[in-house]
Amino acid sequence: MDMAAHERPSTTPDQPSGPATPPPGPGPDGPLPRLGLLARLSSQFGSRGLARRGPTLDDAARRALLLHGVEGAATILSVRSAAKNDADQEFWVRVQLADRHGYETRVRQRVHAADREWMQPGDVVCCRVDPGDHDRVALYPPAPEETSRTGVAKILADGRRARATVLAATAVAADYSGRDDPVLRLDLELHAWDEPGPWRVRVVQPVPLSAMELVDLGRHLEVAFFTVDRGESVVVDWAASREA
């Protein structure tokens, strides 16, 4: 994941390739009304807004996949109970494998109560993927010291600091209902005083409801990071961004 500071990541199909599209101009009778981002989340990404990919795996198939599947990482975008039995969970996840760009799919599986705390929106968990069908995915939480929550806290505490400009903000939580913090995919351009030039990253993380106005195009955010990469070590510091 670590990259030398002079090795800037090149633009890929999974990254923004140009400047953000400017917001629409005023209408003939004055400024156009701006649909709130929360309303757009609910209307665009309700439970009917995305295809229900990803088969339900029985216990035998999941055990086989855990033994023989390709190892990867998955960012949990949304989660809900898949049936009356709360142990059956339905996840919308973004999967990252070493040999391909990240992709999103739905995973249905049984989760032990002790593991659910570490498999919430914004968490990064381990996964095994069927090499012949990348929508067949088995999720499992990493060791507690390796969870994304620990990583986020460590980056915020020990990471270097940069100023980020918002290039795009896209909702990715499939079942956002307005009760929890929405999960957004943020395209950012970072500037750090000790780096020779800006670089672009993409991060997927929950955005506190109180900070939703900070993700408009062109707004500036305070971020922490460990190294120049595509966003793997970047975390938005929402408290510092509100004070800036």
Side-chain angles (χ1 to χ4, degrees):
M1 181 178 74
D2 291 345
M3 301 174 61
H6 64 279
E7 294 178 342
R8 300 289 171 183
S10 59
T11 301
T12 68
D14 199 36
Q15 290 183 274
S17 57
T21 302
D29 299 322
L32 293 175
R34 180 178 179 274
L35 181 62
L37 184 53
L38 293 180
R40 281 182 281 156
L41 288 174
S42 299
S43 62
Q44 183 178 359
F45 290 88
S47 59
R48 298 181 182 178
L50 294 170
R52 292 179 174 270
R53 295 181 294 166
T56 301
L57 300 178
D58 59 29
D59 290 342
R62 185 171 183 274
R63 285 194 297 268
L65 194 53
L66 289 173
L67 288 173
H68 305 295
V70 177
E71 187 175 3
T75 301
I76 296 177
L77 306 178
S78 70
V79 58
R80 68 177 184 179
S81 296
K84 293 182 179 180
N85 182 355
D86 288 340
D88 294 329
Q89 300 287 296
E90 184 175 86
F91 300 91
W92 189 264
V93 298
R94 180 172 178 81
V95 177
Q96 184 65 59
L97 302 178
D99 61 346
R100 63 168 290 172
H101 295 301
Y103 64 97
E104 295 174 13
T105 190
R106 194 179 297 272
V107 179
R108 301 177 186 179
Q109 69 176 54
R110 178 160 297 183
V111 179
H112 295 296
D115 292 336
R116 287 179 218 155
E117 178 184 355
W118 306 104
M119 301 178 72
Q120 296 300 311
D123 290 333
V124 179
V125 299
C126 302
C127 67
R128 294 279 181 168
V129 179
D130 186 336
D133 181 356
H134 284 175
D135 283 330
R136 283 171 51 87
V137 179
L139 306 173
Y140 59 100
E145 64 272 11
E146 298 175 357
T147 62
S148 64
R149 296 178 193 179
T150 301
V152 167
K154 184 173 180 61
I155 293 171
L156 288 174
D158 303 330
R160 300 155 64 190
R161 292 286 162 164
R163 172 66 65 91
T165 301
V166 178
L167 303 179
T170 307
V172 293
D175 297 308
Y176 177 71
S177 62
R179 293 188 298 270
D180 302 316
D181 290 342
V183 179
L184 267 62
R185 179 171 58 239
L186 301 174
D187 292 327
L188 308 172
E189 183 173 84
L190 270 57
H191 297 256
W193 70 269
D194 54 350
E195 291 294 336
W199 71 103
R200 292 185 177 186
V201 302
R202 172 168 287 177
V203 298
V204 177
Q205 65 180 77
V207 177
L209 292 175
S210 60
M212 290 299 294
E213 72 277 4
L214 300 179
V215 298
D216 282 342
L217 299 185
R219 292 293 295 267
H220 296 298
L221 302 174
E222 300 296 323
V223 303
F225 71 103
F226 277 150
T227 188
V228 175
D229 54 29
R230 292 184 174 90
E232 294 89 343
S233 73
V234 176
V235 174
V236 178
D237 188 335
W238 297 111
S241 296
R242 281 193 289 264
E243 296 171 358

